[in-house]
Amino acid sequence: MRIYRLRTNHIENPLGFELDRLSLSWVTEAAGSTSRFQTEAQVQVSLDEDFHHIIFDSGKMQNIDSLAYTPKIDLNPRTRYYWHVTVWGDGGDEVTSDTAWFETAKMDEPWQGQWITPDLAKDIHPLIRKTFCLPEDVVSARLYICGLGLYEVEINGNKVGNEYFTPGFNAYEFWLQYQSYDITDLVMNGINSVGIMFGNGWYKGRFGFDGGHYELYGDQFAAIGEIVATLKDGTTVVIGTDLGWKCAPSPITFSGIYDGEIYDANKEFESWTTPEFDDLNWKPVRSIEVETERLQARLSLPVKIKEERKPLKIIHTPAGETILDIGQNMTGWVRFINRAKKGQRLILEYGEILQDGNFYRDNLRTAKAEYIFISDGKERVVQPYFTFYGFRYVKLTGFERDLDINDFTGCVIYSDIEETGKIETSNLLVNQLFKNALWGQKGNFLDVPTDCPQRDERMGWTGDAQIFASTACYNMYSPVFYNKFMVDLHEEQKRINGSVPFMVPTIKPEGDIGFVTGNGSSAWGDAATVIPWMLYLHYGDKELLRKQFDTMKDWVDYIKKEDDESGAKRLWQTGFHFGDWLALDGDDPSGLTGATDPYYIASAYYCYSVQLTAKAAKVLGKMNLAEEYSVLADEIRQAILREYFTPEGRCAIDTQTALIVALYMDLIPEQYRPRLIEDLRVKLRNNKIHLQTGFVGTPYFCNVLSENGSSDYAYTLLLNDDYPSWLYAIKLGATTVWERWNSVLPDESISGTGMNSLNHYAYGSVVEWMYRYMCGINPAEDSPGFKKIILKPQPYGKLTYAKASMHSASGYIESSWEIKKDGVLSFKFTIPFNTSADLLLPDALVEKVTVDGTCLLRSIVTATQVGESVKCELASGTYVFEYMPNKDYLLTYSSYNSIGELLNTEETRAIFSGIFPEIANSKFRVYRHSKNTVRELATFPIVSHFVTPERLDELDRKLSNVSWDNAIVMAPVK
């Protein structure tokens, strides 16, 4: 056995984070051991690495939870604690982990440093510095610091830390987070120097709607900090920010989140953060009033350069431009080697797409998204300090035309979150869709879960955040990231009577700019309930749920108050709601909210959020509240039935989304479910098995279909590659998920500029369905954090294999299936140590299933026949099941496939073109992407006389030999 991934409050070895609650977690792996379950465990916490000064010892206990164990310790400020865990297994094994640590921040200690600001004009980017002396017997040193807007620190010429955009983006008016750094290796005996540089950032730069506004949170640069050096005798020396610091203008002459940065290397002060620098001509700083009470130890994970990418190529466009193609829509910047002459201006402009082969960025709206570097003639490595870009292409101006591509590197930045999940299938386009959703998450998880990283927006829209939350938790280890967001959300809630803003942190621009300044929309505000519940399901940390319970409760109480004040109908029929945002079924093609009644969606989410809050209350032992909210949910459900459903179960709102939310959110009696799922199937058939949904309907669509016996429809939606579909974008070269289903048109022209992001992860929420249903990995509500796994894979013959794997909070999980050429289904599952799984094998008979080559009836795996499926109870381990299913999973093409599908692969296109050359000919281009089947063309004018029974039979005979495997997909027909 081995123990790994030791985390404190879900962070490995955290330094200076807020530790208002202490939660220790770890993962145990069997690693060849015969043990499958933990029988006992012991946690020890010490003040030293050798555990000579143990301050907490749990003792050897049976009920220690590896997902979230809370030792009772009174923590001291600025103290490092060491801990390890010993685990005993049921096979007699015993293993002790390596040592982990956590270090507290200042906690309640008063600040000796004071807030200072440069004595310069407020629009001048400053440098501030101080020289200080340390004695010879320093054994450790820490820096505690906060700066406004953004800041970076150097000590003795070296950057402190490896993160960017400190102090982060949060609700500055309510709280400010400071960072803690171990600077022991940066300071030296005797004279030292520290310097801080600043950028506008979100705090005082241009940000917000309608072009944004400056100084949303403040109009002055400011900093507070302390260097605390600990000496051999245990005493400390504190160097704080005070009026002894000096300031001067920075070589950064402009910075902004939207517009980029200008850096004039000729204005640098060489070696300005070294002790040798002479700051005699620098100006003094002055004090500034900032509420020190707002300072809090950090919650934000550091934003880092997580990956680096070399450009694919240099493009010389028809317009005479020089463009770098990074090959991936990403968030960050390009680092380059300066080889320009003194005074030469180098300009990098960032964009997501080319148009007519030329550089394009009109969809960024007012965001300039550029970096200007004025060369000092020295060869050096250059990158921005206080801005980032969403881009794939970079237009270069001022550089020599004969460039060395190796001089450029794409730096991918996002919060320091570990990738945990991976999906692979037999379909290359589906694999790219998974990658696109993951890249969308990377690009938008920059301290705040933003909607997009490129245009003049980049805000924490609550709707996008909750829609994608479960997918995010499968893909990446997200509890810390979302917890910080939820803290901001609750701080906003407190000021608006429990409502939730449309985006968090709330942007407070001057003047009235319409609905975007408001709060309280369904689906958006329900981030208050959905995100905490998803975090609990994925990570099993009850204390984290407890911390966020008031957020859930305040939101549903707010809606109930709105309901009560409007007549207590137990419906939500007041206020503004975004509805099924960007759905395609509205009467007005330019409309944004779709055809589903926004008040129906609001009432549905009202019920859903109350249900989640009741569940959370029960988990936390708040039984009176659980009962109260359960009764309220039933009242809302009954009101929805009276208002929106006939006694026979027909939904009065005739949209895909209306049916989806009714089924997903459990709004209807069980006897209505068959009627509604069939109505949804009919609607899909009427739409040629294509979605018409927006931000509300889309995330749940495939889940609802698969949960209700219609995975064939879900797979068809997934594999459609014409508009509107997920793969439509893939075939047009997308490397991230788009905001709109047709953000780019088939001719590769962008469909509009007003609201058109090419990196918008919301529709990437289909990846949750890929984990949960395609591959079948589900956390159990009664044993969250994947302590118990519900395995319900649903293979389908349009793929020959699918595999999902993830490093869950409980350990490594794998679920894969394959349809072999002889029709046999083969499954492989890996179940982590100290967990169990309930497996449902579809279309199986117990006597025909083998597990690792042994008949299931004779194996140690417990199995029972449940209808047409086999249910197995699995303990930790790796298993391979194989059997011939009760139905044929090998699908072949036929005349019942759409024209678009038959023209999509080399084999089927060749067969179709040979039998129906008249239709395949460009003369009949209108039919070449048709969603209609070949047989349906028999009723079409112009071509119907070509579609004879004899030809259809010949087509079926030849297509019956072509299976739905990973055929060679053709390029889209232009």
Side-chain angles (χ1 to χ4, degrees), residues 152 159 163-164 252 261 263 305 308 333-337 348 350 371 373 380-387 389 409-411 413:
E152 282 197 13
K159 175 178 164 62
E163 62 181 299
Y164 299 87
I252 297 174
E261 192 169 292
Y263 190 95
I305 296 176
E308 294 186 355
W333 53 70
V334 166
R335 179 197 300 137
F336 64 93
I337 299 175
L348 293 81
Y350 291 80
Y371 179 73
F373 178 77
R380 59 194 292 174
V381 176
V382 178
Q383 68 179 29
Y385 287 90
F386 300 119
T387 193
Y389 312 91
T409 301
C411 299
I413 62 167

Side-chain angles (χ1 to χ4, degrees), residues 645 649 651 659 662-663 668 672-680:
F645 290 86
C651 183
L659 299 173
L663 290 160
I668 53 170
Y672 284 10
R673 188 169 289 273
R675 166 67 181 271
L676 258 65
I677 192 64
E678 182 54 32
D679 287 350
L680 181 57

Side-chain angles (χ1 to χ4, degrees), residues 549 552-561 563-564 570 606-607 609-618 621-637:
F549 181 75
M552 304 176 76
K553 182 179 183 299
D554 289 353
W555 170 241
V556 297
D557 287 351
Y558 164 79
I559 305 172
K560 183 177 181 295
K561 183 172 181 289
D563 169 20
D564 289 341
R570 293 300 174 252
Y606 181 13
C607 187
S609 277
V610 172
Q611 292 175 50
L612 295 183
T613 307
K615 288 181 179 181
K618 184 177 179 180
K622 301 175 184 290
M623 305 313 293
N624 289 339
L625 281 175
E627 176 64 20
E628 177 186 334
Y629 288 125
S630 295
V631 170
L632 177 59
D634 287 339
E635 292 174 355
I636 300 166
R637 192 180 289 110

